[in-house]
Structures are given as C-alpha cells and as structure tokens.
Amino acid sequence: MPDNPEIIIGVDPGTNVTGYGIIIVESSSCSVLDFGCIRPPAHLKITDRYLIIYNSLEHLLDIHKPRVLAIETQFVHKNVQSAIKLGMARGVVIVAAKRRGIAVVEYSPTRAKRAVSGNGHASKIQVQGMVQKLLNLESLPEPEDAADALALALCHAHSQRFSQSLGVEI
C-alpha cells in the first residue's frame, strides 16, 4: 500500500437502504472512518428517494474526500422492476462520485465476501463478524448493509494491495 493514507468508500446501493462504509488505509492497516446507512422514507416517490441518496452521498464524499468508491455490481433477480430501481440507485451513486473525480470500481457480492471471509457464499453474520475483526471494531457493524459496504471497501484495499505487489495498477 502507499505510504500516504488512502480513503476508500464502499457503497451497497438500494432504494430503501443504501449502506456506506469509509475506511482509511495506512501502510498495511485499515481502520474505519465512518459507516452507516442512508434511509430515504419509503412513502416518498422513488425519484425523491434517489435525490436523497444522491444528496446524502454527496455530503459524505465532501466530508471524507475518498480517492476511490467501491460499489457492488448489479445482479438481477426474478423481479425486473427491482433490478431497474437498483440500477438507478447505483447510477446515482456513481454520478455523485464521478462528479468529484473519484475513481469508481465494482466488485461482485461474492468477491467482496471472499475478500473478508475467504468464502464467497458467507452469510451476512459471517461477513459482519469478519469485518468487525479486520477493522478492530468493538461490536458487529450494523446494519448489514453498512457491513456489506465496509466489506466492499476492504475488498478494494486488498485487491489494490495484491495488484501493487504484482506491479499492476487497478
């Protein structure tokens, strides 16, 4: 890892709950700067919820000034409408980062789980437990969406460390 501290934000997008986790990487250690969830009121129109996600994320980006945003890749279940709404939430997050010149990287849920637990099919509680251990947190990071976002940030930190050891830039 570089000698300069690097700030990475992980985002687990959703229209009801968008998890975020912000870590700082110094030498070979990672620590938490902030984590939590953006929860637009469910009674609002979906377009208003997108705006709340965008404004809230802008605020976090302005405060913490990350260099990289790690986001979960899109996956499609049987409900196409849900997939479209999730894709829109992802787009809102990506635009907020790109407007500030922040690099955006994408990781699948299984890759993020594997990066923190060694198992791409780890349960939510296993991911929370490993994130707690890796970041020396006093308790499990909650809610699960925030733990998933922290796992995405850690996944990028580990991927970057590995690629740098090979002399490759990601």
Side-chain angles (χ1 to χ4, degrees), residues 8-25:
I8 303 168
I9 182 170
V11 178
D12 182 16
T15 56
N16 295 322
V17 180
T18 293
Y20 65 89
I22 304 162
I23 64 171
I24 185 166
V25 182

Side-chain angles (χ1 to χ4, degrees), residues 3-4 6 59 66 76 88-90 100 102 116 130 135 161 168:
D3 291 335
N4 298 339
E6 179 174 32
H59 180 71
V76 178
M88 294 287 289
R90 287 183 78 249
R100 286 163 177 72
I102 297 169
V116 297
M130 287 307 298
L135 294 172
R161 182 178 299 136
V168 177

Side-chain angles (χ1 to χ4, degrees), residues 8 41 52 67 91 103 113 132 170:
I8 303 168
I52 289 170
R67 189 184 73 76
K113 288 177 182 181
Q132 177 187 7
I170 58 172

Side-chain angles (χ1 to χ4, degrees), residues 99-148:
R99 276 198 67 220
R100 286 163 177 72
I102 297 169
V104 175
V105 293
E106 298 178 275
Y107 296 102
S108 69
T110 54
R111 184 165 176 192
K113 288 177 182 181
R114 189 171 45 249
V116 297
S117 72
N119 177 1
H121 300 290
S123 69
K124 294 280 190 181
I125 193 73
Q126 288 172 319
V127 170
Q128 284 176 293
M130 287 307 298
V131 167
Q132 177 187 7
K133 285 182 184 186
L134 291 168
L135 294 172
N136 297 313
L137 300 173
E138 291 182 16
S139 59
L140 289 178
E142 293 184 312
E144 295 170 349
D145 305 273
D148 290 347

Side-chain angles (χ1 to χ4, degrees), residues 9 11 14-15 18 20 22 34 37-41 44-64 69 88-97 99-100 102:
I9 182 170
V11 178
T15 56
T18 293
Y20 65 89
I22 304 162
D34 192 9
C37 289
I38 301 165
R39 297 178 187 270
L44 293 179
K45 289 193 270 182
I46 192 73
T47 53
D48 294 329
R49 286 189 270 163
Y50 293 141
L51 181 60
I52 289 170
I53 293 166
Y54 182 84
N55 288 338
S56 298
L57 194 60
E58 271 196 323
H59 180 71
L60 290 167
L61 298 175
D62 288 343
I63 290 171
H64 296 291
L69 182 141
M88 294 287 289
R90 287 183 78 249
V92 163
V93 169
I94 291 167
V95 168
R99 276 198 67 220
R100 286 163 177 72
I102 297 169

Side-chain angles (χ1 to χ4, degrees), residues 26-42:
E26 298 179 273
S27 300
S28 62
S29 69
C30 298
S31 56
V32 173
L33 289 177
D34 192 9
F35 66 91
C37 289
I38 301 165
R39 297 178 187 270

